[in-house]
Amino acid sequence: MTATLNPTVAEKGKLLRILGVSFGIAVTLGGTIGIGILRTPGTVAAQLGSVILIAAAWTLGGIYALFATISVAELATALPQAGGWYVYARRAFGDYAAFSIGWINWFSYCTATAAISIAMAEYAAALASPFFHHIRLIAVALVVLFTLLHARGLRLGSRSQELVSFAVALGLALLIAAAFAFEGRNVPQQVAGSAVQSPSTIAEILVAFALSFQSVIFTYDGWYGAIYFSEEDKDPSRNLPRAMISAVILIIVIYLLLNLLLVRVLPMSQLAASTLPVSDAAQSIFGVNGGKVITALAFVSLVSVTNAGFMMTPRILYGMSRDGFFLRRATTVNRRGTPINALLICTVVEILLIMSGTFEKLLAVTAFFWVVMYSSGFASLIALRQREPELPRPFRAWGYPWTTIVVLFLSFVFLVGVLISDTANSIYALVVLALSYPAYRFMRLMSASPGI
């Protein structure tokens, strides 16, 4: 039977088209709901100190994520190809811009995966400390396990993503429901913090809001996860907008309810002082075992984020390699739909990062790149609307151009804030970006060489 008639077997060099709405929702949830939402509410509370301002910050962050999703859904359905942001930048701004965006996207994901693997190893040690030591070796073992899982094919990887993503969402939903079912509070006195002063003047409110908004935006990061799989979706024109918008709305609801839970269960002073406020809230509801429940939930959320990363990262490299921006051998796809050589290259880079111990610095540097990638997508949408008005667009961004202009402006403000608040790492990031041109020329020469 030919590959065309059998969707479980990939044609040579081509990805499978077997994904649907449920996977799109799962990979968006899995790539977004991670350890950030378990930690960030404390940071935001410390900066704002007011229930109204906290709710406003998380609501505005949700609006940003929704408007951004609406804008990028148009690009994903108009250009349903593997590679993510790289694809849109190439169509709108040419090869070099595409290479720069794709390269920083790929390397940022490798760095993030290395960091998350270390975090998973630490949580594994916390959950079963008598049996787990040597954190870096555990992290490497986890990377190898994920590689073996995804080498088995797209179907197994996508089903795994659906399972763990919905488990995390369900766990948070149950925690929220339990919190609202309990009227009393049982806050340990020794962990209560000092009184929090909320900003009083307009200037203080704006500064505090800008700082907290950076944390909120990072916590919403991942809203675009489904775009990396548009080429593997059975019907991207219909499925991608449904999956992306539904998932982001669900994330907004979860985040808002979770923050309402925290201000209901914890005093503002403790919330602002806590590095893991969701764990403190769980302990106040369930007693001492509540912390273990949240530790387990955090570990599962890290599994979800890592699994999503292991699916996204090779597809960035695959898309770039197919267009001649990396080694042609990275376009190899096994019979079950995995870009296998790209996956192995990503695995080697991630293991090297884990063992080198440099990923923490690199992660701080590449944080600058996340919003650069968003901005490139929004700018690509505007450019393509102007240059290619006849491009088929199965889904058109609601409220265009205003929704896109709003998120592009907020992204610019965010970048300025990062430059001011973390100047040293931002300068390093700009240097890396500048070095992308010689890297681009080198990769074009390498890809043009026979047999490479």
Side-chain angles (χ1 to χ4, degrees):
M1 185 176 290
T2 66
T4 304
L5 296 177
N6 185 0
T8 65
V9 178
E11 297 180 50
K12 183 178 181 180
K14 293 185 179 181
L15 300 169
L16 290 175
R17 299 182 68 91
I18 61 173
L19 303 177
V21 173
S22 61
F23 173 78
I25 293 174
V27 78
T28 305
L29 292 175
T32 306
I33 302 176
I35 193 65
I37 190 57
L38 304 180
R39 294 181 181 273
T40 306
T43 302
V44 174
Q47 290 164 336
L48 298 178
S50 161
V51 174
I52 293 175
L53 291 178
I54 290 170
W58 287 101
T59 301
L60 183 60
I63 292 171
Y64 174 93
L66 181 60
F67 283 5
T69 300
I70 289 167
S71 297
V72 175
E74 176 174 321
L75 291 169
T77 54
L79 302 169
Q81 300 165 23
W85 305 107
Y86 148 81
V87 174
Y88 318 138
R90 188 181 188 215
R91 186 66 172 254
F93 303 117
D95 287 352
Y96 172 57
F99 176 85
S100 299
I101 295 300
W103 197 248
I104 63 176
N105 191 188
W106 174 75
F107 190 69
S108 297
Y109 266 56
C110 287
T111 305
T113 300
I116 294 170
S117 298
I118 289 286
M120 287 177 62
E122 291 172 345
Y123 272 94
L127 288 168
S129 54
F131 307 102
F132 287 97
H133 304 287
H134 308 296
I135 297 299
R136 291 188 191 280
L137 293 179
I138 297 171
V140 170
L142 289 170
V143 167
V144 172
L145 286 174
F146 275 103
T147 300
L148 294 174
L149 169 69
H150 290 285
R152 295 291 297 167
L154 176 62
R155 192 175 298 279
L156 180 59
S158 63
R159 291 291 182 266
S160 301
Q161 188 63 54
E162 291 172 1
L163 176 64
V164 291
S165 293
F166 292 131
V168 171
L170 179 61
L172 287 174
L174 291 174
L175 178 64
I176 291 167
F180 284 102
F182 281 76
E183 292 294 331
R185 295 180 177 181
N186 180 31
V187 181
Q189 185 65 34
Q190 64 272 23
V191 296
S194 58
V196 181
Q197 296 295 325
S198 61
S200 54
T201 67
I202 297 297
E204 289 176 348
I205 291 173
L206 289 176
V207 171
F209 203 84
L211 292 173
S212 64
F213 191 64
Q214 290 184 32
S215 300
V216 170
I217 290 299
F218 274 125
T219 308
Y220 274 107
D221 181 75
W223 50 264
Y224 48 81
I227 69 173
Y228 295 100
F229 306 94
S230 55
E231 190 170 329
E232 295 159 280
D233 195 292
K234 290 179 289 189
D235 188 359
S237 299
R238 289 170 54 87
N239 293 340
L240 284 175
R242 292 180 180 181
M244 294 173 70
I245 294 170
S246 298
V248 167
I249 290 173
L250 182 58
I251 291 165
I252 293 170
V253 171
I254 289 173
Y255 282 9
L256 288 175
L257 288 177
L258 191 59
N259 277 274
L260 288 176
L261 174 161
L262 294 174
V263 299
R264 173 185 173 86
V265 173
L266 301 176
M268 185 63 70
S269 58
Q270 184 183 351
L271 175 57
S274 178
T275 57
L276 197 60
V278 178
S279 179
D280 291 344
Q283 288 186 57
S284 73
I285 298 168
F286 303 113
V288 293
N289 291 325
K292 293 182 179 180
V293 170
I294 297 304
T295 300
L297 183 61
F299 180 79
V300 176
S301 74
L302 289 173
V303 171
S304 181
V305 172
T306 305
N307 194 74
F310 264 85
M311 298 187 73
M312 296 173 190
T313 312
R315 283 156 177 83
I316 301 168
L317 204 58
Y318 168 86
M320 294 179 66
S321 300
R322 185 171 57 183
D323 293 333
F325 295 108
F326 195 65
L327 307 180
R328 286 196 301 272
R329 292 178 181 177
T331 61
T332 301
V333 179
N334 68 17
R335 289 173 57 82
R336 295 181 179 178
T338 297
I340 189 67
N341 287 346
L343 174 65
L344 294 176
I345 292 168
C346 296
T347 297
V348 170
V349 171
E350 288 152 7
I351 290 174
L352 290 174
L353 287 170
I354 290 170
M355 298 308 295
S356 70
T358 60
F359 68 88
E360 291 182 351
K361 178 65 175 178
L362 290 170
L363 193 63
V365 171
T366 57
F368 178 86
F369 292 141
W370 298 111
V371 181
V372 171
M373 291 184 290
Y374 305 164
S375 302
S376 75
F378 308 143
S380 296
L381 176 60
I382 294 171
L384 289 173
R385 280 285 190 112
Q386 296 296 318
R387 297 175 189 171
E388 299 188 45
E390 302 305 319
L391 178 69
R393 293 175 169 85
F395 176 85
R396 299 178 73 89
W398 305 337
Y400 181 89
W402 302 113
T403 49
T404 305
I405 289 172
V406 165
V407 290
L408 184 57
F409 173 75
L410 289 175
S411 298
F412 175 76
V413 172
F414 183 89
L415 283 173
V416 172
V418 173
L419 279 167
I420 294 171
S421 63
D422 193 4
T423 305
N425 285 321
S426 297
I427 290 173
Y428 287 132
L430 291 172
V431 170
V432 171
L433 197 57
L435 292 173
S436 66
Y437 185 72
Y440 163 72
R441 301 305 309 175
F442 175 75
M443 285 299 173
R444 291 308 296 259
L445 289 172
M446 288 287 290
S447 63
S449 299
I452 296 180

